[in-house]
Amino acid sequence: MRRTLKSLAGTAMGLAGLLALAGCGGGGTHPTDPHVAMGAHLFTQFACSACHGEQGKGDVSSDVPALTEVGKEFSVAQLTDIINHGLGEVSNPEKPYMPVWGPVISQTQVNDLVEYLQAGLPKVDDTEPVPVPTDQGAAVAGAALYVRNGCINCHGPSGLGGVPNPESEDKTIPPLSGQEFRSEFNTDEKIKTMIRTGSVIGKPPIASMPHWGGILSEEQLDDLVAYLKTLQ
């Protein structure tokens, strides 16, 4: 299986084999392995790209590493553990913190993410993050950011909540809408502080919210607040 590039060069069959070994084909945009393809979509869906960059190339924050080499540096077990249990500086809300995903992401999804990382994060068609409009008002931009940054995965469509978090006090991840939320977070600054600092309320198996401080700009925070204020 592990033939050299030299032995493969010059034949169509050899080139196809090389692309298969790389886990992708069609110029690097059509993975032959469906698990790698699914991992690429999950990487965007769960906003891994928001902190680690598209295809894990980094350059988002000096505190968040690129992931282009993690498939070589870490074992399957290590990568699985990091996704399930989170990683980062919990005590400093100004530093990005990767959340505890274990209660939110299924084991099948974790496995697919790990396969994608181990395949070297190849480019996959139709996995670009949701575009954020810049000329349609703050609430519209905030709605796009809510999806792009994965808020929807935990807090639900329109901030309705309901995603299980069995070991937490409330048993679910809280909603971002409704009278209780509006009473507790009754100013724009309180909402922005919550987004910046996250809510690392314990250790696994309790799901935790990442620190978005250092990742989101003030303008993006304002846009998210504008969107949340449109919810019931």
Side-chain angles (χ1 to χ4, degrees):
M1 293 294 291
R2 292 186 174 276
R3 293 172 292 174
T4 65
L5 178 61
K6 182 177 180 180
S7 67
L8 291 171
T11 68
M13 183 65 72
L15 179 57
L18 179 60
L19 292 172
L21 285 173
C24 58
T29 61
H30 306 285
T32 58
D33 186 334
H35 295 288
V36 173
M38 177 57 77
H41 284 273
L42 292 169
F43 191 84
T44 301
Q45 176 187 340
F46 289 104
C48 309
S49 56
C51 293
H52 295 286
E54 293 187 39
Q55 293 179 259
K57 293 179 180 178
D59 294 328
V60 175
S61 166
S62 59
D63 294 306
V64 180
L67 301 179
T68 50
E69 298 296 322
V70 295
K72 302 174 184 177
E73 297 170 351
F74 295 92
S75 67
V76 169
Q78 289 172 319
L79 292 171
T80 300
D81 186 72
I82 291 171
I83 295 170
N84 282 330
H85 296 84
L87 192 68
E89 192 172 339
V90 177
S91 60
N92 186 348
E94 298 302 317
K95 296 292 185 180
Y97 173 77
M98 180 174 166
V100 175
W101 280 114
V104 178
I105 301 181
S106 73
Q107 190 56 56
T108 297
Q109 291 173 319
V110 173
N111 292 344
D112 289 342
L113 276 168
V114 170
E115 289 212 31
Y116 177 58
L117 294 173
Q118 291 213 306
L121 297 91
K123 180 174 175 57
V124 176
D125 283 344
D126 303 318
T127 57
E128 294 79 11
V130 171
V132 179
T134 59
D135 57 357
Q136 299 178 32
V140 172
L145 287 167
Y146 187 81
V147 175
R148 183 185 181 96
N149 292 322
C151 314
I152 192 171
N153 296 310
C154 293
H155 295 288
S158 299
L160 295 175
V163 176
N165 196 10
E167 300 301 320
S168 68
E169 183 177 349
D170 296 329
K171 307 301 181 186
T172 62
I173 294 173
L176 301 179
S177 59
Q179 186 58 46
E180 184 175 348
F181 175 79
R182 291 196 297 273
S183 295
E184 182 176 357
F185 297 95
N186 56 1
T187 69
D188 292 2
E189 191 54 41
K190 286 182 180 179
I191 298 175
K192 289 198 290 185
T193 297
M194 176 193 71
I195 298 171
R196 284 193 202 97
T197 62
S199 58
V200 183
I201 57 178
K203 56 186 178 180
I206 299 177
S208 61
M209 178 175 164
H211 303 162
W212 286 105
I215 301 296
L216 296 178
S217 68
E218 282 299 310
E219 181 180 3
Q220 290 172 319
L221 292 173
D222 288 336
D223 290 343
L224 280 167
V225 168
Y227 169 64
L228 294 179
K229 290 169 69 174
T230 70
L231 305 179
Q232 296 293 321

